[in-house]
Amino acid sequence: MNGQDTEPVNSPDTEEQLRQAMAALAGQFHPAPDAYRTARGEWQRRERRRRLVLTLLVTAVFTLATLAGLWVLNSAPSGSGGIFFDERFPTPSRSAPAAPTGPVSVGVNAPDRPPATLGS
């Protein structure tokens, strides 16, 4: 073989030979009657598994983030007033507010307010 006996790869004859060879191979192939159903079932199982894994992963990340946030909030010193503490704005005391002394009027016509009018 000196290389001169072979025809070029892009000749029309080569394309026809490849077409015939592929047709012969395709003619020998006979798929199983339930091949589509089997392939579809496998695809659906993979899809369900992927969705389940994704759901579990999202749930785990959400739970861990919630627990980490609660841990950070719970581990803050009791006098700091939360996570962000600025000494310019002191936190109010956590005790109950002082009860008012003397009589308290509640209502629309309290003695310290003028009576309500509809026009103004």
Side-chain angles (χ1 to χ4, degrees):
M1 287 185 122
N2 56 9
Q4 294 175 353
D5 296 338
T6 62
E7 57 186 84
V9 175
N10 59 357
S11 74
D13 237 10
T14 304
E15 185 177 335
E16 186 59 35
Q17 288 174 352
L18 283 173
R19 186 175 288 119
Q20 289 173 358
M22 294 300 276
L25 284 174
Q28 295 174 359
F29 178 74
H30 299 289
D34 63 343
Y36 175 75
R37 191 174 328 149
T38 303
R40 186 168 185 251
E42 289 175 11
W43 177 80
Q44 285 178 332
R45 277 192 295 278
R46 284 194 305 266
E47 183 70 17
R48 278 193 303 265
R49 181 178 173 96
R50 184 188 64 81
R51 287 184 184 196
L52 177 66
V53 168
L54 184 63
T55 302
L56 291 175
L57 183 64
V58 166
T59 303
V61 168
F62 178 78
T63 303
L64 288 175
T66 302
L67 290 175
L70 290 174
W71 176 73
V72 166
L73 288 173
N74 195 29
S75 65
S78 62
S80 69
I83 295 176
F84 304 107
F85 179 67
D86 191 354
E87 291 187 18
R88 295 178 293 168
F89 305 105
T91 58
S93 68
R94 299 195 187 267
S95 62
T101 57
V104 176
S105 332
V106 178
V108 177
N109 294 326
D112 57 340
R113 282 192 261 164
T117 59
L118 293 175
S120 55

